[in-house]
Amino acid sequence: MTTAAPNTGLEDVVVSTSEICFIDGDRGRLLYRGYDIHDLVAHSTFEEAVYLLWHGRLPTRPELERFRKDLTTQRRLPPKVLALLEGFPRKADAMDVVRTAVSAMGLYDPDAADNSREANLRRAVRIQAQVATLVAAWARIRKGKPPVAPNARLGLAANFLYMLSGKKPSDLAAKAMDTALILHADHELNASTFAARVTVATLSDIYSGIVSGVGALKGPLHGGANVGVIRMLLEIGEVDRAEAWIKSALAQKKRIMGFGHRVYNTEDPRATHLRKMSEALGREAGDLRWYETSRIVERVVKEQKGLNPNVDFYSASTYYSMGIDPDLYTPIFVVSRVSGWIAHVLEQQANNRLIRPRAEYTGPQQVSWVPLDQR
Ligand SMILES: CC(C)(COP(=O)(O)OP(=O)(O)OC[C@H]1O[C@@H](n2cnc3c(N)ncnc32)[C@H](O)[C@@H]1OP(=O)(O)O)[C@@H](O)C(=O)NCCC(=O)NCCS
């Protein structure tokens, strides 16, 4: 039995091989199936990136058209899941709603107990398409507004923004959302992806795997960090307060959300794109306050702690400039990352072995039993 150093959170421990995602933490490179995310952002769409993640290669034109059509026709939620959303407490945490509703989606899946790869690919399309509808529907239902039916003429990202607001998004906003979805799609064995793989490795079903992923992503050290970032920016409030605010937070040894990363020792390549989008959308909205505040926070944290922004830092001001409610930022992460979870679930199922590590026992041994009335 090999023993990892205690309490290192499996840092740098390689538990599996995978052909899906490559991260070079020293050089700030991120590849999906060998393709650099910079190329995917420049030339691809989210749908094409999802096909790549699931099938291991770029689609031909007819394959992509077919895939897009499948994703578009599967957007509607099962009516009973929609009814369930209507009954949830309006103040419920949006990630709790997503977790519960994804679980419920599994109850209405027409492939029932078929656990073949073909059935799982059909499920994958349904889950990918419906999660966006689910997040947008909840965003409206909790405000007493009726959900907006999906628009089949729009791609996944633009349609998601359309279902949130009921208005067709600007080209810039649609492109920014598509880019954000590409950038969040996969990131090797992060906590939520590992959770999803562990779950399906018991031969449990794909919905259970995705529900595990959602639960793990919710935490503030993982997908919940983007909400922490916008809370911080709103608390800072004005550009000229940023420097003093962040210096004081660092002096109090506070953990600054959106900075630091387990794997990157340099700039997270996803932050490079999100920084640009944050500026462009701030400009389009006529309010650069959040972008400029972020720039100051970034400079001070780099100077004082040597930490770089991660994917969550600029996604916060990007989404805020689009008028999206802060508590939806982590659910939007799900809309994208569900594609990566599915790719990993399919890979796990294709060559499965139960994932069952050991713990080094450090508790007492052979303690004598003490009867109840003598304790
Ligand atoms: C992502 C994260 C969990 C990685 O953590 P990790 O590799 O386990 O690193 P640790 O938590 O052990 O931190 C190592 C040191 O850096 C500091 N540090 C790491 N991230 C920090 C942050 N965001 N703000 C302030 N200090 C930070 C820690 O305080 C610690 O300092 P110490 O050794 O003086 O105690 C961590 O950087 C973090 O909490 N970031 C904020 C949350 C976030 O943005 N998450 C999204 C990740 S994509």
Side-chain angles (χ1 to χ4, degrees):
M1 208 162 72
T2 46
T3 309
N7 209 22
T8 48
L10 294 180
E11 183 168 353
D12 289 336
V13 174
V14 174
V15 299
S16 174
T17 59
S18 174
E19 295 180 357
I20 299 170
C21 182
F22 174 74
I23 307 172
D24 182 342
D26 294 326
R27 291 200 284 159
R29 288 171 68 225
L30 171 59
L31 314 182
Y32 296 164
R33 300 281 189 182
Y35 292 89
D36 197 305
I37 53 143
H38 297 313
D39 284 333
L40 293 173
V41 164
H43 306 296
S44 189
T45 59
F46 178 57
E47 285 89 332
E48 196 172 7
V50 174
Y51 188 101
L52 172 68
L53 286 169
W54 293 358
H55 296 277
R57 59 172 178 81
L58 288 172
T60 61
R61 189 179 294 279
E63 282 169 341
L64 182 58
E65 275 164 16
R66 177 74 213 247
F67 188 59
R68 279 211 182 104
K69 195 160 169 248
D70 287 349
L71 281 169
T72 306
T73 50
Q74 297 288 343
R75 281 177 183 163
R76 281 182 190 272
L77 286 174
K80 295 236 164 91
V81 175
L82 202 53
L84 202 62
L85 292 179
E86 304 270 4
F88 285 156
R90 298 266 158 107
K91 288 199 162 25
D93 180 283
M95 283 295 281
D96 292 345
V97 167
V98 173
R99 190 193 59 228
T100 310
V102 168
S103 189
M105 273 157 48
L107 299 175
Y108 302 102
D109 191 286
D111 278 298
D114 183 352
N115 221 4
S116 64
R117 181 175 160 87
E118 291 67 36
N120 278 330
L121 276 168
R122 287 193 295 274
R123 282 193 189 94
V125 169
R126 271 177 226 129
I127 295 171
Q128 182 68 58
Q130 290 175 14
V131 161
T133 312
L134 152 64
V135 173
W138 175 246
R140 295 180 64 87
I141 288 170
R142 66 178 178 173
K143 291 185 174 166
K145 295 184 191 166
V148 173
N151 180 337
R153 285 190 301 277
L154 299 176
L156 195 146
N159 176 59
F160 174 61
L161 291 172
Y162 169 75
M163 291 189 298
L164 275 179
S165 69
K167 290 186 224 102
K168 239 183 108 191
S170 72
D171 289 346
L172 179 66
K175 173 72 187 155
M177 181 52 72
D178 192 69
T179 304
L181 295 180
I182 293 174
L183 294 173
H184 286 83
D186 195 50
H187 214 237
E188 200 218 67
L189 271 200
N190 55 87
S192 56
T193 303
F194 188 52
R197 286 188 81 131
V198 168
T199 298
V200 298
T202 68
L203 301 186
S204 182
D205 68 293
I206 188 167
Y207 284 94
S208 299
I210 302 306
V211 169
S212 300
V214 175
L217 191 75
K218 178 186 167 188
L221 294 187
H222 192 5
N226 51 19
V227 185
V229 174
I230 196 63
R231 287 211 186 103
M232 170 178 73
L233 296 178
L234 293 172
E235 201 179 316
I236 295 173
E238 294 299 333
V239 182
D240 56 11
R241 277 167 40 92
E243 181 140 2
W245 193 98
I246 195 71
K247 281 184 173 162
S248 154
L250 288 172
Q252 293 168 57
K253 303 237 169 293
K254 285 198 178 144
R255 193 163 281 244
I256 313 299
M257 292 295 123
F259 286 89
H261 201 275
R262 231 340 136 69
V263 185
Y264 293 114
N265 304 314
T266 182
E267 170 147 321
D268 180 333
R270 301 166 297 176
T272 317
H273 292 280
L274 289 158
R275 188 190 287 109
K276 280 191 215 140
M277 286 179 344
S278 163
E279 182 178 11
L281 283 157
R283 226 172 265 292
E284 186 179 73
D287 185 0
L288 279 168
R289 203 170 7 152
W290 312 112
Y291 168 73
E292 286 171 359
T293 304
S294 301
R295 291 292 287 165
I296 295 170
V297 171
E298 179 183 1
R299 174 175 55 76
V300 176
V301 174
K302 179 80 188 167
E303 279 166 10
Q304 299 216 341
K305 295 282 293 186
L307 292 170
N308 292 297
N310 56 46
V311 69
D312 291 302
F313 188 61
Y314 282 102
S315 60
S317 46
T318 298
Y319 298 150
Y320 198 75
S321 295
M322 289 191 211
I324 301 175
D325 292 337
D327 68 325
L328 296 180
Y329 299 179
T330 317
I332 292 174
F333 203 151
V334 177
V335 171
S336 167
R337 182 57 59 86
V338 74
S339 63
W341 293 332
I342 289 169
H344 281 269
V345 162
L346 295 171
E347 186 176 63
Q348 184 67 39
Q349 289 171 329
N351 187 17
N352 190 55
R353 181 129 204 265
L354 178 72
I355 300 172
R356 200 306 190 188
R358 298 291 309 271
E360 183 187 344
Y361 178 70
T362 55
Q365 299 268 2
Q366 301 294 337
V367 183
S368 303
W369 174 258
V370 182
L372 202 50
D373 55 5
Q374 290 171 30
R375 288 176 211 161

